[in-house]
Amino acid sequence: MPTPSAADALGPALLASFRHSFQQYKTLADRALGQLSDAEWLHRPAPGSNSAAVIVQHMAGNLRSRFTDFLTTDGEKPTRQRDQEFEEPQSAAGIPALRQEWEAAWQVLFDLLNELQPADLLRTVTIRGEAHSVLEAVQRQVAHYASHVGQLVQLAKIIRGDDFQSLSIPRGQSQQFNQAMQDRK
C-alpha cells in the first residue's frame, strides 16, 4: 500500500485536532463547573458580569445553532434566542436542566465532528450570512469556546478561592511535575 502524502494526511489530522481541542475544552469546563454548587452557578462576581449559568446557556445555544445542520443551513438559526441566553436563571432549581442542555448541545458538535470528512474542510458554510470554509468556521468556534471556558474556570477559582482544585499543575509544583514527567521516560 502506498504511504499517504502529507497533503492526504492533513485533513484527517485537522479533524482529529479539532475533536481533541473541543473535548479538552469541554472537560476543562466540566471540571471547573463540577466544583460549584447549583446556587454558585448563579454567582456574578461584579455588576454586568456573567454567571457560570449564563455562560453555559450561551455556549449551549451557540453549539446548537452553529452545529445543527452545519453543512446545509446558516449557523445562526432563526429559532435561536441569543439575547435570552444572557438572562440569569430565576433560581438554582433550573441548573440540573441546564446541565442536560449543556450535554446535549456538546453532543450535537461531537456528532458532527464524527461525520465530517477531510473533503468537507474546504466546503463553504455561512454564519449570519457570511461565508466561511468549514475549516474557518470550526476554528472560529474553537477560539470562541476557549475564551468562555477560561471564563468558567476563572469564575470557579473566584468562588472556590483556596479550595479550588487545580485543573492543571498546582501552584508551586511545576518542578515536581516536570521531574515526574522525566521519570516516566
Side-chain angles (χ1 to χ4, degrees):
M1 271 175 76
T3 304
S5 70
D8 292 336
L10 184 59
L14 282 168
L15 289 171
S17 178
F18 286 141
R19 278 185 208 96
H20 179 76
S21 293
F22 283 122
Q23 187 59 60
Q24 291 293 102
Y25 289 130
K26 181 181 183 302
T27 298
L28 195 62
D30 287 343
R31 290 179 61 208
L33 291 167
Q35 295 187 47
L36 303 179
S37 70
D38 290 358
E40 289 169 334
W41 275 49
L42 303 176
H43 174 78
R44 290 178 23 190
S49 64
N50 293 320
S51 67
V54 164
I55 295 168
V56 167
Q57 284 175 165
H58 168 61
M59 288 183 70
N62 186 276
L63 281 156
R64 279 191 309 272
S65 187
R66 293 294 182 266
F67 296 114
T68 298
D69 302 323
F70 176 69
L71 295 173
T72 58
T73 64
D74 192 282
E76 186 67 14
K77 304 296 184 282
T79 56
R80 183 177 182 199
Q81 301 296 317
R82 186 179 182 280
D83 290 337
Q84 290 176 2
E85 294 167 11
F86 291 93
E87 294 175 6
E88 287 292 334
Q90 296 300 310
S91 74
I95 300 306
L98 183 54
R99 279 193 190 97
Q100 289 178 344
E101 288 179 41
W102 168 259
E103 292 299 328
W106 278 101
Q107 194 58 54
V108 170
L109 168 61
F110 292 129
D111 288 347
L112 169 72
L113 291 173
N114 288 334
E115 294 170 10
L116 281 179
Q117 299 299 310
D120 293 326
L121 291 170
L122 297 178
R123 289 179 62 177
T124 300
V125 296
T126 58
I127 301 172
R128 294 189 180 108
E130 183 181 347
H132 300 275
S133 69
V134 166
L135 179 63
E136 291 169 322
V138 173
Q139 182 56 46
R140 170 183 171 156
Q141 296 313 117
V142 168
H144 183 201
Y145 301 153
S147 69
H148 287 311
V149 168
Q151 292 171 328
L152 291 170
V153 171
Q154 187 63 30
L155 278 169
K157 283 183 171 186
I158 290 168
I159 293 166
R160 287 272 67 81
D162 289 339
D163 293 331
F164 181 78
Q165 297 297 308
S166 177
L167 304 178
S168 62
I169 303 167
R171 286 183 183 197
Q173 295 182 23
S174 295
Q175 193 171 22
Q176 293 157 291
F177 178 83
N178 290 341
Q179 186 60 51
M181 294 302 287
Q182 288 298 320
D183 292 346
R184 286 185 184 177
K185 291 182 180 180

